[in-house]
């Protein structure tokens, strides 16, 4: 299965411009034969947590979600997008959604680990564990940005059966070890493929690293971007995770009962 990752600069609160960028990428990726396009964290509204919280009318979110579903449907490609969501209790959270090629929602996820003062001022952390769905024959899950830096988040997806983890992110300059070292370690220790799609350029004073990456279940790099805008592609072998889990059975040989006595 071919993955496409959008690495691009979004425009804060310019939904039309950002949706045009997603639509153009979806057309290109679909023509290339990609099954899914993964876009960065909060890309349709721009990554600027305080400005988004103060300037975005949440009543517009259903229309924006339908617009994104239309992009998936009209191009015949799966789509991962990230938007704010408002809970029934009125809490704002950062979310990610996986659509299939018909625009139907397969999976939604709320960000559990918020990063930095701006995110904590604008959003509340979610609590639900990553869920897993079948996407084109591969058990697939979602986490968002900082979540992937915690082994517990990735392992939670893996023990639920995930073999592919799709990660919208917003990683700034200065954190080069995250895509270069940490993502590969997470993929290796939980023996799944991780696709990590980042912003590029500068938004609201934040300079983004780029360096979107796809790491395989053996920890090897399947694809890596530089700092400039691009569409990054990687082919995922549907049998790779199962082979790695058979060769070195990390998941099967865990001892969670013992770990609990250690305070974990």
């Amino acid at each position: 299965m071919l993955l496409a990752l959008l690495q691009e600069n979004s425009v804060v609160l310019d939904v039309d411009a950002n949706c045009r960028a997603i639509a153009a990428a979806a057309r290109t990726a679909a023509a290339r034969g990609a099954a899914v396009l993964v876009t960065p964290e909060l890309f349709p509204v721009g990554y600027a947590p305080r400005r988004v919280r103060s300037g975005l009318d949440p009543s517009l979110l259903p229309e924006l979600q339908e617009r994104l579903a239309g992009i998936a449907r009209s191009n015949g490609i799966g789509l991962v997008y990230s938007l704010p969501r408002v809970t029934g209790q009125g809490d704002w959270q950062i979310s990610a959604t996986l659509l299939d090629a018909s625009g139907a929602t397969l999976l939604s996820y709320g960000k559990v680990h918020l990063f930095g003062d701006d995110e904590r001022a604008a959003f509340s952390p979610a609590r639900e564990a990553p869920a897993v769905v079948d996407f084109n024959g591969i058990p697939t899950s979602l986490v968002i940005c900082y979540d992937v830096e915690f082994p517990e988040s990735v392992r939670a997806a893996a023990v639920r059966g995930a073999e592919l983890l799709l990660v919208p992110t917003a990683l700034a300059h200065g954190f080069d070890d995250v895509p270069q070292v940490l993502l590969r370690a997470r993929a290796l220790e939980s023996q799944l493929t991780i696709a990590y799609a980042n912003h590029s350029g500068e938004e609201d004073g934040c300079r983004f690293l780029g360096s979107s990456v796809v790491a395989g279940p053996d920890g090897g790099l399947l694809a890596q971007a530089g700092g400039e805008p691009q569409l990054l592609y990687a082919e995922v072998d549907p049998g790779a995770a199962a082979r790695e889990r058979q060769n070195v059975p990390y998941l099967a040989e865990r001892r969670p009962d013992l770990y609990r006595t250690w305070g974990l």
Side-chain angles (χ1 to χ4, degrees):
M1 181 174 72
L2 186 65
L3 308 180
L5 281 64
L6 174 62
Q7 179 171 290
E8 181 61 271
N9 184 215
S10 65
V11 183
V12 176
L13 294 175
D14 192 338
V15 169
D16 289 339
N18 299 332
C19 284
R20 286 195 298 270
I22 293 172
R27 285 193 297 273
T28 301
R32 178 83 174 259
V36 64
L37 172 68
V38 186
T39 65
E41 183 180 12
L42 294 178
F43 188 89
V45 295
Y47 184 84
R50 293 177 193 261
R51 283 184 62 193
V52 167
R53 176 63 188 270
S54 64
L56 179 67
D57 181 351
S59 70
L60 300 177
L61 287 171
E63 179 182 348
L64 178 52
Q65 291 164 344
E66 179 51 41
R67 184 172 180 177
L68 292 162
I71 290 172
R73 187 165 50 246
S74 63
N75 291 284
I77 189 171
L79 179 65
V80 173
Y81 66 79
S82 171
L83 283 174
R85 71 180 182 191
V86 183
T87 70
Q89 293 71 43
D91 292 329
W92 284 57
Q93 297 177 343
I94 299 174
S95 73
T97 300
L98 170 64
L99 306 177
D100 67 15
S102 73
T105 297
L106 296 180
L107 190 61
S108 292
Y109 170 82
K111 188 174 185 178
V112 171
H113 302 92
L114 300 179
F115 181 81
D117 292 341
D118 285 350
E119 283 194 10
R120 295 187 186 103
F123 297 104
S124 298
R127 297 181 59 85
E128 295 80 15
V132 180
V133 296
D134 181 285
F135 180 73
N136 290 20
I138 299 179
T140 299
S141 189
L142 295 169
V143 298
I144 302 171
C145 195
Y146 196 36
D147 287 329
V148 81
E149 299 182 37
F150 292 81
E152 295 87 352
S153 295
V154 180
R155 184 56 56 86
V159 298
R160 287 166 173 78
E163 298 180 4
L164 174 62
L165 187 63
L166 305 176
V167 188
T169 193
L171 185 72
H173 264 270
F175 295 96
D176 303 59
D177 285 347
V178 173
Q180 294 175 10
V181 179
L182 188 146
L183 264 294
R184 297 177 68 178
R186 290 288 169 272
L188 174 61
E189 69 194 6
S190 284
Q191 297 171 310
L192 42 62
T193 297
I194 299 179
Y196 182 82
N198 196 19
H199 295 249
S200 64
E202 185 172 316
E203 298 166 33
D204 199 43
C206 181
R207 184 180 173 215
F208 291 98
L209 179 65
S211 296
S212 299
V213 67
V214 183
D218 61 353
L221 282 177
L222 300 179
Q224 184 170 22
E228 299 304 312
Q230 70 173 97
L231 268 176
L232 183 70
Y233 295 95
E235 188 72 41
V236 175
D237 178 352
R243 288 195 301 272
E244 292 301 322
R245 292 172 183 182
Q246 184 175 23
N247 291 339
V248 184
Y250 288 142
L251 299 181
E253 294 184 350
R254 292 182 312 119
R255 299 184 62 190
D257 291 341
L258 175 62
Y259 307 151
R260 279 191 284 272
T261 71
W262 296 351
L264 298 177

